[in-house]
Amino acid sequence: MSTVHNTNKACCSIPPVLSDYQPKGAIKPVAGFQKVYVTGPATSSNAIVCIFDIFGFFPQTQQGADIVASTLNTIVYMPDFFEPDAPFDIAKFPPKTDQDKADLQAFFGSTANPSAAITKLKTFGESLKANGFKRVGIYGMCWGGKVAVSSGGDLLRLMLLPFSILRKWMFIHLSSCSELYFYSMLFVDDASRLTVPLGMYISGDEPVDEYEKIVEVVSKKPFADKCDAKNYSNMFHGWGAARADLKNEKN
């Protein structure tokens, strides 16, 4: 029997939505990654790193990066954290057979193992700083949210400077898929180690009790006034990334 790394039913069943959006940026090699989606002004003195969900470079996720870049007039980098492997095969999602379900869980435990992505994120951030960026912020969706929150302790304190334009250093579109990877209660533990402000936005598919515990922990941090959180209870898991139907105004 395969190991279950992700217990969130919504995360493991809501499929991505095909989109005809044409990304404004380009995919190019940057700082050790062969594939990085880059959008926004090359002259920017600040940078934002986007951590995608398990579907990788998807038009809606790229559209979000384009919007962040144009709104903040800041360059946004979206590295392919799965390389040299591929994102999860959407032909097998949502998984219908026992083998597909086992393959999905195996993906969470291998290619999408957050610890490997955290190491890559640290190296990438250090490279951005070494190349002259004054401030670096990060945001992530679903799996990417898990990576971002897990990176929010000493790693970010050492690697990143506050992103004053945003009033916070980290945006997280949280999901139970993120917080229940590998260990239960992980996000509460991560929240206790945070040394940077956190923006946390969940959908109606995430456990409210866990969300409230995280909010409580963050409210006691010295930077609590720079944090933000909201429960979009009318939204579904993944509405801010590959599963978003952006032709639907509610999304």
Side-chain angles (χ1 to χ4, degrees):
M1 185 175 181
S2 62
T3 301
V4 176
H5 298 287
N6 178 9
T7 61
N8 183 279
K9 292 182 180 179
C11 180
C12 295
S13 62
I14 298 176
V17 175
L18 298 181
S19 168
D20 57 5
Y21 177 75
Q22 296 298 312
K24 297 178 181 178
I27 294 177
K28 59 184 71 175
V30 180
F33 283 97
Q34 294 303 306
K35 293 182 292 183
V36 179
Y37 179 70
V38 183
T39 182
T43 56
S44 173
S45 60
N46 302 316
I48 301 174
V49 181
C50 171
I51 311 172
F52 51 39
D53 59 19
I54 67 166
F55 303 110
F57 296 130
F58 227 77
Q60 296 94 313
T61 310
Q62 292 170 308
Q63 184 174 358
D66 290 343
I67 292 171
V68 170
S70 63
T71 301
L72 299 176
N73 195 33
T74 300
I75 194 166
V76 176
Y77 293 98
M78 186 189 304
D80 182 359
F81 285 96
F82 298 148
E83 66 178 36
D85 298 327
F88 192 75
D89 185 358
I90 63 172
K92 298 195 296 184
F93 200 95
K96 297 180 177 63
T97 68
D98 288 343
Q99 184 59 55
D100 287 349
K101 293 175 183 178
D103 289 347
L104 177 60
Q105 294 299 332
F107 178 80
F108 287 134
S110 56
T111 300
N113 186 320
S115 61
I118 291 168
T119 299
K120 293 179 181 179
L121 175 62
K122 179 178 183 294
T123 301
F124 190 75
E126 289 174 340
S127 178
L128 293 181
K129 293 298 295 301
N131 279 281
F133 286 103
K134 296 178 180 179
R135 301 178 179 88
V136 181
I138 65 174
Y139 72 98
M141 289 75 67
C142 188
W143 173 86
K146 187 271 180 297
V147 173
V149 172
S150 296
S151 304
D154 287 341
L155 184 156
L156 280 185
R157 179 175 59 80
L158 295 172
M159 183 177 80
L160 308 178
L161 290 173
F163 208 128
S164 58
I165 296 175
L166 304 180
R167 289 192 68 246
K168 41 189 169 282
W169 301 352
M170 194 188 312
F171 288 104
I172 307 298
H173 164 194
L174 260 182
S175 68
S176 184
C177 172
S178 299
E179 63 190 276
L180 294 180
Y181 280 164
F182 307 104
Y183 305 98
S184 62
M185 303 296 289
L186 178 60
F187 271 164
V188 171
D189 291 341
D190 281 347
S192 68
R193 293 191 292 270
L194 280 171
T195 60
V196 295
L198 170 70
M200 180 171 61
Y201 311 104
I202 70 168
S203 78
D205 288 324
E206 277 67 76
V208 176
D209 58 341
E210 187 78 358
Y211 164 75
E212 291 177 346
K213 291 175 185 176
I214 299 169
V215 171
E216 175 65 19
V217 169
V218 172
S219 71
K220 298 177 182 178
K221 295 288 184 178
F223 44 77
D225 63 327
K226 297 181 177 64
C227 295
D228 188 40
K230 183 173 180 178
N231 178 0
Y232 288 88
S233 59
N234 62 325
M235 286 289 98
F236 53 87
H237 174 88
W239 97 96
R243 306 171 213 244
D245 180 1
L246 298 181
K247 292 182 180 180
N248 182 338
E249 286 189 8
K250 291 183 178 180
N251 278 200

